[in-house]
Amino acid sequence: MKIRHTLLSLFLSLFMVAQAAAQPEKIISKHEADMMFSLNHTGWEAYARQMTQPPKWQMRLTPHKTGTSFAVFDSKTGVGLTVQPLFANETDPPAIIVIGSWYTGGRLRITPASIADIERAARADLGPDYSVEAASAQLPGVDDIPGIELKVTRRK
């Protein structure tokens, strides 16, 4: 598949550039959203199995009925990223894609204003084809890792 590493590479590139520039984090681009919403459940599963993590990052794939989620985490920086598509069936694109950015040890101060900035930036990047909701969150199963989750849906 041509899209083999593209999604993870794009996510991480945007993520690291935003971190370095101390700007509102760009979590997903329109190109990435278009690609993810073009896949059905089977296509996503095949794509997820081809993903690889950057050097020294840990990666975990977690199978779910609604679609395999993947997570990458850099223990050196305390930063992580998760992507969870939610498929209603095998043939349609995902109904929702949940993207999380996670920060250990207070690495990022998550405030209502920073969440609103990230949501506003995602809406501007994705345009009118997508609906975006951002919220603070805790990494499932890990109490001390706060983050921000974006829920992205494609408008019909």
Side-chain angles (χ1 to χ4, degrees):
M1 277 184 140
K2 282 187 170 185
I3 59 173
R4 186 162 189 246
H5 304 292
T6 305
L7 181 61
L8 183 58
S9 297
L10 287 171
F11 273 129
L12 292 172
S13 295
L14 292 170
F15 186 75
M16 300 311 273
V17 167
Q19 290 292 311
Q23 297 175 359
E25 181 182 335
K26 185 173 187 174
I27 296 177
I28 185 171
S29 72
K30 184 169 184 334
H31 174 75
E32 294 161 342
D34 289 346
M35 193 281 294
M36 285 189 286
F37 280 99
S38 74
L39 298 172
N40 64 17
H41 195 174
T42 303
W44 175 263
E45 296 302 313
Y47 180 70
R49 285 189 301 275
Q50 294 179 22
M51 300 290 283
T52 60
Q53 74 274 20
K56 302 192 184 199
W57 284 57
Q58 299 169 331
M59 181 176 163
R60 178 183 297 170
L61 295 176
T62 307
H64 302 279
K65 277 184 168 181
T66 58
T68 295
S69 66
F70 70 84
V72 291
F73 185 75
D74 181 2
S75 58
K76 182 177 178 181
T77 63
V79 172
L81 176 76
T82 58
V83 178
Q84 168 72 52
L86 302 174
F87 291 92
N89 58 49
E90 294 293 320
T91 58
D92 292 329
I96 300 172
I97 296 172
V98 180
I99 303 156
S101 296
W102 310 100
Y103 310 90
T104 60
R107 184 157 164 71
L108 177 71
R109 187 161 181 256
I110 299 170
T111 65
S114 65
I115 292 168
D117 287 346
I118 289 169
E119 183 175 305
R120 194 171 18 261
R123 284 183 178 159
D125 290 339
L126 295 177
D129 293 341
Y130 294 96
S131 174
V132 178
E133 292 178 31
S136 64
Q138 290 292 126
L139 188 60
V142 184
D143 292 336
D144 64 343
I145 301 183
I148 297 172
E149 280 189 336
L150 281 184
K151 293 180 181 176
V152 179
T153 57
R154 185 173 224 157
R155 296 177 196 236
K156 298 187 181 200

